[in-house]
C-alpha cells in the first residue's frame, strides 16, 4: 500500500484529536468528582487546566482566578480554547473529511455522527445537572468511533498512521498527567497515610481510567511508588508510558516492513522504549521524576515531528 | 451543484398549460406512475412523513452536503430530498439517450475541429468571431491532441420537458458537471427505505456509474508505461461546494483524492506525494476550472493548481478529464448554434431540440428581446448558478428597467429564451402530494470505447409552489430518477 502524505497526516491528526477530546472529558470528570467528594476550593480546577495544558490560555482570557463553571466551560466548549473537547472533535472531523477516501464508511459516519451529536450537546453552557450525562456521552461517542476503527479498518499503513497518532497523543497525555502531580508521587513529599494524598493518587489513576485496573493488579492499597510503577511501566495498562512506547514501535515496525524502509523516526521510538526498559521506579525517583517526564515528553514530541517528515505529511 | 445552472426563474402562478408527469394534462394517471400510485394510495401518510425525515437523517449522517459560500453558520447544507420518484418509461428513455449520444458525439467532434482546422467556420456554419472573441476559447489548446482523442470525458446534459413527447436541451455541461453523487445516493436511500417499491417493478440500476467512470477514464490514459493507469481525482479542497462529491467519487473508484499541493511535476510527469515518495499519475479527473489548474500557464495567483501541469498535458503524458478548453462547447452563445453543430458533424438532424435562443449581440434579436423583456428569460453568456440573470415574468418593473440598461451596454454578453412551461412531478408535503417543476441532468461518459449514459440522472425539483428555480443554491431539491426496465 501507498497513501498520500496528506492522507497519512489526516489519519494521524484525526486520531490525535479523538484521543485529546476523550482526555479532556475525563479530566473534567476527575475535577468534578473531586469537587463533589471533598470540600475543596477551586484550586483543583486550576490543576485540571494545567494537566490538560490549557491553563495559560484560560489565564489570558479570564485572569488568575479559576472558578469551577468557567473551567468546565473552557475545557468543554469555549471557542477561545483550541484544545477544548468541542474544538478537538471538530478538528478530528475536519481531518476525517479530508481523508474521507481512506476511511471506511463506518468510521466516517461514526466520526461525523459523533461530531454532530457533541456539537448539539455542547451548543450551550452545560448545566450542572446535565454534566455527568454530557461527559458520559462524549466518552461513549469516542468509544463508538474507536469501535468502528477497530472493527472495520484494514490493518495496513492507514491503520498504522491512526495508531501512531493515538499513541503519540496518549503518551504525551499520560506523561503530562503524571508530571503535573509528580510531587505527590515522590516519597519525600508524601505525608504518609494522609487522606489528602490518597485522594491525589486516586485522582491520577482516575485521570487515566485506571483505578479499577490498578486495584486488580496492585491490590487495594494506593501507594505512590506503585502508582508510578503502574502508570510508567505496566505493559498491560493501555495508557501507561511503556504501553504507548511499545505501540509506537510496533506500528512503526509494521510500516518499515510494509515499505521496506526504516527512517529516523524508528530510531527515536526504539530509544524511547529502550529508555523505559532500562529504568526502574527507583532509578527514576533517584534522577528526578520531573526531569524524567520532561525528557519523555520531549522525545515523544520529536517522534511525532520526525514521523511527519519521514512520511511526507506535508511539503 | 451551485456552479451549474438550469432553467431559472419564477412564474407567480402555475399556468394551466403545465404538463404533469404523473397526471398528464387531464388528471389521468400516466402509465409509468401506475406502480408508484398504487403503493402511495396504500401507504399511511404518517409513515411516509417519518420516512421523509429518516431520509434527511441518512443524508446528514453520510455527510452528503454542499457548501454555501460566504455563510459560516450554514457552511454545510443538505439539499432537500423528496421521496416520490420521478419516473421515465423505457421507451422515452431510449429516444432521449439516442439524442444525448448524438449530441455528445457532436460536441467532441466540434471541440476537436475548433482547436484544429475549424472546418465549421470555413464552411460558413459558425461565424469566426463566435470563437475568436469568445472568452471560453483557450488558444493554448490549438493543435493539442488529447490522449484518446476525447475532450469531454464526463458530460451532463440538462433537459426539460414541456409535454408528453417534448423535451428540450437547456444546457450542455461540458466542463465539470456535478450532481452525480446525488443521483447515486438518492437511489441508495430509496432502496434502503422502500425496498418493497423495487420489488414491484424493475428499475434500471445506476450503481455501476463509478466503475464505468473508472474504466472510461482508464481507457483514455496516455500510453506512458505498460502498468495499469493510475487515476486520481483533483479537488480544489474540502471548502469547495462539491467536495463531498469529489471524495465520494474517488472513494467509489478506489483512487486517490488529491489537491494541487499533493502534486508536482517530476521527470516530465505529474506525480503525487505519497508516504513513500512521488508516484506518477496517468489520468486526473479534475474538478478545478481551466483558469486555476496551472499558475505557470494560466492564472498566476492560483494556489489550487500544479505549476507546469499543462506542459505535461501538452506533451501527451497526462490525461486531464475534461480537457482544458471544453468550456467553448457549453458557452451559451455557442449553444444557440447547437442544431447546426449537430448536423454539421453527424450528418443527421438533431434528435433533441434546442430552446429557441436570441443572441442579443445581433441587432435584430436585441430589438426583439428589448421589446419582449417582461416575457423572456435573459442569461449571461458566461454566467452560471442562477446568478446574473433576468426572469421576465417574475421580475419587477424596476428590475426589468435596470436589466435593460445592462443589456444595452453589453448586448453580446447576453442571450434570451422564452420562459418554458416546465413539467411538474408531485412532491410529498405535509398536506399530501403537490406538483412542482423539475428538470433532468443525465450523466454521460465518453471514451474511445464508446458513449455510456447512466439510465436516469439527477432530477432537480423546485420545492416552492409555482417556482421554476431548481438550482440547489436557490433552495431546489432532488428526487430519485427511475428509468423503467420494460
Amino acid at each position: 500500500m501507498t497513501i498520500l502524505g496528506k492522507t497519512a497526516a489526516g489519519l494521524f491528526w484525526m486520531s490525535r484529536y479523538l484521543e485529546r477530546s476523550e482526555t479532556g472529558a475525563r479530566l473534567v470528570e476527575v475535577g468534578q468528582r473531586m469537587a463533589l467528594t471533598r470540600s475543596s476550593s477551586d484550586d483543583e480546577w486550576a490543576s485540571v487546566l494545567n494537566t490538560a495544558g490549557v491553563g495559560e490560555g484560560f489565564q489570558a482570557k479570564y485572569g488568575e482566578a479559576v472558578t469551577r463553571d468557567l473551567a468546565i466551560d473552557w475545557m468543554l466548549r469555549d471557542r477561545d480554547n483550541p484544545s477544548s473537547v468541542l474544538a478537538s472533535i471538530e478538528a478530528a472531523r475536519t481531518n476525517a473529511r479530508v481523508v474521507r477516501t481512506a476511511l471506511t464508511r463506518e468510521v466516517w459516519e461514526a466520526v461525523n455522527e459523533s461530531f454532530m451529536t457533541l456539537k448539539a450537546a455542547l451548543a450551550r453552557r452545560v448545566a450542572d445537572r446535565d454534566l455527568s450525562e454530557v461527559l458520559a456521552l462524549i466518552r461513549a461517542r469516542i468509544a463508538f468511533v474507536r469501535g468502528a476503527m477497530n472493527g472495520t479498518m484494514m490493518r495496513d499503513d492507514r491503520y498504522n498512521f491512526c495508531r501512531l497518532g493515538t499513541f503519540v497523543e496518549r503518551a504525551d497525555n499520560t506523561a503530562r498527567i503524571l508530571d503535573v502531580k509528580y510531587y505527590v508521587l515522590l516519597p519525600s513529599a508524601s505525608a504518609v497515610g494522609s487522606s489528602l494524598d490518597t485522594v491525589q493518587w486516586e485522582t491520577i489513576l482516575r485521570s487515566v481510567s485506571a483505578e479499577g485496573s490498578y486495584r486488580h493488579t496492585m491490590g487495594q492499597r494506593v501507594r505512590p511508588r506503585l502508582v508510578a510503577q503502574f502508570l510508567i511501566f505496566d505493559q498491560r495498562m493501555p495508557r501507561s508510558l511503556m504501553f504507548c512506547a511499545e505501540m509506537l514501535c510496533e506500528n512503526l515496525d509494521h510500516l518499515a516492513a510494509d515499505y521496506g524502509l526504516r527512517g529516523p523516526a524508528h530510531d527515536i521510538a526504539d530509544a524511547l522504549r529502550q529508555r523505559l526498559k532500562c529504568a526502574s521506579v527507583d532509578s527514576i525517583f533517584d534522577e528526578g521524576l520531573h526531569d524524567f517526564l520532561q525528557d519523555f515528553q520531549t522525545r515523544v514530541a520529536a517522534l511525532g515531528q520526525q514521523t511527519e517528515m519521514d512520511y511526507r505529511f506535508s511539503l | 451543484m451551485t456552479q451549474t445552472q438550469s432553467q431559472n426563474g419564477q412564474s407567480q402562478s402555475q399556468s394551466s398549460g403545465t404538463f404533469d408527469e404523473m397526471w398528464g394534462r387531464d388528471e389521468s394517471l400516466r402509465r409509468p406512475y401506475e406502480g408508484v400510485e398504487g403503493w402511495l394510495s396504500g401507504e399511511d401518510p404518517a409513515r411516509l412523513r417519518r420516512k421523509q425525515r429518516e431520509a434527511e437523517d441518512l443524508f446528514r449522517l453520510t455527510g452528503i452536503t454542499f457548501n454555501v459560500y460566504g455563510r459560516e453558520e450554514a457552511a454545510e447544507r443538505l439539499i432537500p430530498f423528496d421521496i416520490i420518484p420521478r419516473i421515465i418509461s423505457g421507451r422515452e428513455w431510449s429516444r432521449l439517450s439516442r439524442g444525448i449520444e448524438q449530441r455528445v458525439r457532436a460536441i467532441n467532434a466540434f471541440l476537436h475541429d475548433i482547436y484544429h482546422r475549424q472546418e465549421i467556420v470555413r464552411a460558413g456554419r459558425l461565424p469566426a468571431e463566435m470563437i475568436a472573441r469568445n472568452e471560453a476559447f483557450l488558444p493554448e489548446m490549438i493543435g493539442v491532441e488529447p490522449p484518446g482523442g476525447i475532450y469531454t470525458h464526463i458530460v451532463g446534459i440538462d433537459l426539460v420537458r414541456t409535454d408528453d413527447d417534448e423535451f428540450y436541451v437547456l444546457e450542455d455541461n461540458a466542463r465539470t458537471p456535478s450532481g452525480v453523487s446525488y443521483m447515486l445516493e438518492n437511489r441508495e436511500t430509496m432502496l434502503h427505505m422502500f425496498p418493497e417499491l423495487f420489488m414491484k417493478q424493475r428499475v434500471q440500476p445506476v450503481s455501476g456509474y463509478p466503475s464505468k467512470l473508472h474504466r472510461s477514464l482508464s481507457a483514455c490514459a496516455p500510453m506512458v508505461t505498460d502498468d495499469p493507469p493510475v487515476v486520481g481525482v483533483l479537488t480544489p479542497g474540502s471548502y469547495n461546494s462539491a467536495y463531498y462529491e469529489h471524495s465520494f467519487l474517488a472513494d467509489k473508484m478506489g483512487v486517490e483524492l488529491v489537491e494541487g499541493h499533493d502534486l508536482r511535476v517530476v521527470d516530465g510527469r505529474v506525480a503525487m506525494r505519497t508516504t513513500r515518495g512521488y508516484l506518477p499519475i496517468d489520468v486526473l479527473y479534475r474538478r478545478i476550472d481551466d483558469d486555476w489548474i496551472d499558475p505557470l500557464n494560466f492564472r498566476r495567483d492560483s494556489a489550487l493548481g500544479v505549476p507546469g501541469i499543462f506542459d505535461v498535458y501538452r506533451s501527451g503524458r497526462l490525461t486531464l478529464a475534461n480537457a482544458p478548453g471544453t468550456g467553448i462547447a457549453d458557452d451559451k452563445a455557442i449553444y444557440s448554434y447547437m442544431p447546426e453543430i449537430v448536423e454539421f458533424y453527424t450528418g443527421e438532424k438533431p434528435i433533441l431540440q434546442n430552446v429557441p435562443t436570441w443572441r442579443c449581440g445581433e441587432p435584430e434579436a436585441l430589438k426583439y428581446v428589448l421589446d419582449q423583456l417582461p416575457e423572456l428569460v435573459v442569461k449571461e453568456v458566461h454566467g452560471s448558478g442562477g446568478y446574473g440573470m433576468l426572469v421576465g415574468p417574475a421580475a419587477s418593473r424596476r428590475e426589468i428597467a435596470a436589466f435593460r440598461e445592462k443589456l444595452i451596454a453589453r448586448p453580446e454578453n447576453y442571450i434570451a429564451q422564452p420562459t418554458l412551461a416546465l413539467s411538474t412531478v408531485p412532491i410529498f408535503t405535509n398536506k399530501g402530494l403537490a406538483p412542482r417543476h423539475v428538470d433532468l441532468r443525465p450523466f454521460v461518459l465518453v471514451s474511445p470505447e464508446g458513449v455510456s449514459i447512466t439510465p436516469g440522472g439527477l432530477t432537480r425539483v423546485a420545492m416552492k409552489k409555482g417556482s421554476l428555480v431548481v438550482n440547489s443554491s436557490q433552495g431546489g431539491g432532488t428526487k430519485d430518477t427511475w428509468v423503467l426496465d420494460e
Side-chain angles (χ1 to χ4, degrees):
Chain A
M1 273 301 296
T2 298
I3 57 174
L4 291 177
K6 172 188 69 185
T7 304
L11 294 168
F12 180 87
W13 282 102
M14 175 189 83
S15 304
R16 281 197 78 158
Y17 282 120
L18 285 170
E19 184 72 22
R20 193 172 295 176
S21 50
E22 189 187 355
T23 304
R26 202 172 319 100
L27 288 175
V28 171
E29 206 165 282
V30 168
Q32 173 72 351
R33 189 180 162 82
M34 307 241 342
L36 294 179
T37 51
R38 48 189 281 233
S39 54
S40 80
S41 63
D42 287 325
D43 287 358
E44 230 17 81
W45 286 104
S47 157
V48 164
L49 293 179
N50 288 332
T51 309
V54 298
E56 284 180 23
F58 182 90
Q59 277 188 23
K61 181 167 178 179
Y62 295 112
E64 296 283 330
V66 179
T67 66
R68 172 180 174 276
D69 286 356
L70 282 179
I72 292 177
D73 201 54
W74 183 258
M75 291 285 293
L76 293 184
R77 54 176 293 277
D78 196 305
R79 279 200 174 274
D80 294 322
N81 176 12
S83 295
S84 72
V85 170
L86 183 56
S88 299
I89 187 81
E90 181 161 9
R93 194 257 186 183
T94 302
N95 276 285
R97 196 160 174 263
V98 170
V99 300
R100 171 68 190 84
T101 54
L103 300 174
T104 59
R105 184 168 185 132
E106 284 86 346
V107 172
W108 159 248
E109 289 184 0
V111 173
N112 193 36
E113 193 182 345
S114 300
F115 165 67
M116 291 188 291
T117 308
L118 297 180
K119 191 180 174 192
L122 297 172
R124 273 171 294 281
R125 186 167 283 202
V126 180
D128 273 352
R129 63 170 184 284
D130 299 331
L131 185 62
S132 311
E133 204 178 316
V134 168
L135 293 173
L137 181 67
I138 296 167
R139 291 175 64 164
R141 297 318 303 183
I142 304 299
F144 175 56
V145 175
R146 195 170 283 142
M149 292 171 75
N150 196 331
T152 65
M153 284 186 78
M154 289 283 289
R155 294 323 195 240
D156 55 16
D157 48 355
R158 302 174 211 201
Y159 189 73
N160 295 139
F161 286 111
C162 289
R163 299 290 277 177
L164 287 172
T166 301
F167 287 105
V168 164
E169 181 72 20
R170 188 178 291 180
D172 185 60
N173 286 339
T174 300
R176 198 143 25 78
I177 287 167
L178 285 169
D179 201 18
V180 170
K181 296 275 180 186
Y182 81 95
Y183 52 90
V184 300
L185 288 173
L186 297 179
S188 58
S190 62
V192 181
S194 89
S195 64
L196 177 73
D197 277 358
T198 308
V199 170
Q200 296 274 18
W201 302 328
E202 279 177 353
T203 304
I204 292 173
L205 289 172
R206 215 174 269 281
S207 309
V208 290
S209 290
E211 68 277 30
S213 331
Y214 176 88
R215 282 183 217 288
H216 284 290
T217 318
M218 300 292 190
Q220 284 301 313
R221 300 179 64 179
V222 179
R223 291 283 177 83
R225 223 186 110 83
L226 294 181
V227 171
Q229 166 75 32
F230 187 61
L231 292 187
I232 297 172
F233 293 110
D234 199 304
Q235 291 192 34
R236 299 156 300 180
M237 166 22 186
R239 290 176 195 281
S240 76
L241 301 187
M242 184 59 108
F243 188 90
C244 292
E246 289 284 1
M247 282 298 143
L248 289 168
C249 288
E250 188 183 308
N251 283 280
L252 283 166
D253 287 346
H254 275 288
L255 285 175
D258 192 359
Y259 292 178
L261 198 73
R262 278 176 63 91
H266 291 79
D267 299 333
I268 300 180
D270 283 346
L272 183 74
R273 176 168 59 182
Q274 204 52 35
R275 174 88 176 87
L276 288 172
K277 282 202 164 153
C278 296
S280 66
V281 174
D282 289 334
S283 72
I284 288 174
F285 279 15
D286 282 348
E287 77 175 89
L289 179 58
H290 176 64
D291 290 342
F292 168 79
L293 291 169
Q294 288 284 323
D295 174 64
F296 184 87
Q297 289 176 75
T298 308
R299 287 167 185 260
V300 169
L303 174 57
Q305 282 161 11
Q306 194 60 48
T307 303
E308 301 200 9
M309 281 192 271
D310 288 1
Y311 295 102
R312 303 172 180 84
F313 280 16
S314 57
L315 276 178
Chain B
M1 297 245 304
T2 54
Q3 291 173 324
T4 61
Q5 178 177 28
S6 176
Q7 175 70 15
N8 297 272
Q10 214 157 0
S11 68
Q12 295 310 312
S13 63
Q14 197 179 311
S15 76
S16 56
T18 300
F19 172 75
D20 188 86
E21 299 190 12
M22 185 161 174
W23 298 105
R25 288 182 183 279
D26 54 0
E27 297 296 307
S28 58
L29 182 64
R30 293 181 66 248
R31 271 192 63 183
Y33 283 85
E34 281 170 2
V36 162
E37 203 276 337
W39 166 76
L40 274 172
S41 54
E43 280 290 319
D44 171 17
R47 175 175 179 263
L48 291 179
R49 272 196 290 278
R50 205 170 59 241
K51 288 283 183 183
Q52 178 83 53
R53 282 196 301 274
E54 198 181 301
E56 278 188 17
D57 291 344
L58 275 175
F59 283 118
R60 216 174 279 284
L61 179 61
T62 350
I64 177 158
T65 55
F66 72 109
N67 300 345
V68 182
Y69 297 114
R71 300 239 306 262
E72 217 221 311
E73 277 310 312
E76 289 170 35
R77 264 183 25 199
L78 280 186
I79 294 184
F81 171 72
D82 179 72
I83 58 174
I84 312 289
R86 192 258 186 101
I87 309 174
I88 297 166
S89 73
R91 187 188 56 81
E92 287 167 342
W93 179 252
S94 69
R95 188 173 82 89
L96 281 181
S97 55
R98 273 186 294 122
I100 292 167
E101 176 164 352
Q102 178 194 47
R103 196 159 170 118
V104 167
R105 286 189 186 281
I107 286 173
N108 269 286
F110 169 69
L111 283 164
H112 186 270
D113 186 29
I114 62 154
Y115 287 117
H116 292 82
R117 289 181 46 80
Q118 302 201 344
E119 300 284 1
I120 193 168
V121 177
R122 293 166 196 246
R125 303 288 289 273
L126 184 72
E129 71 267 18
M130 288 308 301
I131 290 171
R133 285 175 47 205
N134 197 316
E135 288 173 35
F137 180 72
L138 205 64
E140 290 87 345
M141 280 297 289
I142 294 172
V144 174
E145 291 298 332
I150 306 297
Y151 284 84
T152 58
H153 310 74
I154 301 112
V155 191
I157 304 284
D158 287 357
L159 299 169
V160 293
R161 182 172 202 174
T162 52
D163 211 336
D164 208 1
D165 213 23
E166 208 169 70
F167 289 87
Y168 289 96
V169 176
L170 201 60
E171 200 169 290
D172 306 285
N173 295 279
R175 301 173 209 212
T176 49
S178 61
V180 75
S181 57
Y182 293 88
M183 171 184 86
L184 296 165
E185 290 285 26
N186 287 355
R187 176 64 53 83
E188 286 305 313
T189 303
M190 290 297 281
L191 284 168
H192 175 78
M193 292 199 309
F194 305 113
E196 71 274 16
L197 258 178
F198 294 88
M199 289 173 197
K200 284 188 194 148
Q201 55 211 312
R202 289 160 59 105
V203 178
Q204 296 190 29
V206 296
S207 57
Y209 179 85
S211 60
K212 284 184 187 150
L213 174 62
H214 187 260
R215 186 181 164 151
S216 189
L217 290 170
S218 302
C220 297
M223 299 298 163
V224 182
T225 64
D226 292 335
D227 299 331
V230 176
V231 177
V233 176
L234 176 60
T235 173
S238 60
Y239 297 101
N240 182 266
S241 66
Y243 178 75
Y244 172 79
E245 178 156 303
H246 307 162
S247 68
F248 175 90
L249 289 174
D251 187 35
K252 295 287 174 190
M253 288 195 286
V255 305
E256 291 295 350
L257 177 66
V258 294
E259 294 174 47
H261 59 77
D262 296 316
L263 303 177
R264 70 197 249 189
V265 176
V266 181
D267 299 332
R269 295 182 69 189
V270 170
M272 56 184 168
R273 193 183 70 251
T274 75
T275 47
R276 296 198 227 206
Y278 280 89
L279 180 78
I281 291 188
D282 299 290
V283 183
L284 270 179
Y285 176 19
R286 49 105 181 193
R287 299 287 297 252
I288 295 182
D289 293 341
D290 290 352
D291 282 354
W292 303 95
I293 54 169
D294 185 346
L296 291 182
N297 283 285
F298 303 104
R299 282 188 69 141
R300 288 178 182 205
D301 58 338
S302 172
L304 304 174
V306 185
I309 193 174
F310 189 71
D311 302 313
V312 178
Y313 178 74
R314 219 166 13 197
S315 76
R317 305 182 71 165
L318 172 73
T319 299
L320 286 172
N322 291 348
T326 57
I328 186 79
D330 66 17
D331 173 83
K332 291 191 186 66
I334 294 289
Y335 165 86
S336 61
Y337 288 96
M338 277 308 288
E340 285 94 333
I341 289 172
V342 170
E343 219 176 317
F344 185 77
Y345 296 105
T346 66
E348 302 160 4
K349 288 279 176 206
I351 298 169
L352 294 172
Q353 300 184 69
N354 243 34
V355 182
T357 303
W358 292 276
R359 295 181 283 267
C360 302
E362 297 170 6
E364 275 184 30
L366 179 63
K367 185 167 175 300
Y368 175 86
V369 171
L370 289 172
D371 237 31
Q372 303 291 320
L373 212 45
E375 312 300 325
L376 299 176
V377 176
V378 189
K379 300 175 180 176
E380 280 186 20
V381 172
H382 301 291
S384 68
Y387 300 105
M389 64 182 310
L390 175 81
V391 181
S396 67
R397 282 177 180 212
R398 177 179 298 194
E399 284 165 336
I400 291 177
F403 207 89
R404 179 183 299 272
E405 304 275 298
K406 288 202 282 182
L407 193 49
I408 292 169
R410 279 193 72 191
E412 70 287 352
N413 201 30
Y414 296 93
I415 53 131
Q417 294 170 337
T419 313
L420 295 181
L422 301 196
S423 61
T424 54
V425 176
I427 63 166
F428 183 77
T429 73
N430 282 337
K431 293 174 188 157
L433 298 187
R436 293 290 185 273
H437 293 291
V438 294
D439 79 349
L440 176 65
R441 174 178 294 178
F443 292 95
V444 190
L445 299 172
V446 191
S447 80
E449 294 175 353
V451 174
S452 155
I453 309 171
T454 303
L458 178 66
T459 291
R460 299 190 294 179
V461 54
M463 301 304 282
K464 269 185 291 183
K465 187 178 177 186
S467 169
L468 294 169
V469 182
V470 298
N471 299 59
S472 54
S473 57
Q474 320 281 331
T478 68
K479 281 172 168 292
D480 188 20
T481 309
W482 294 5
V483 173
L484 299 182
D485 200 353
E486 292 161 335

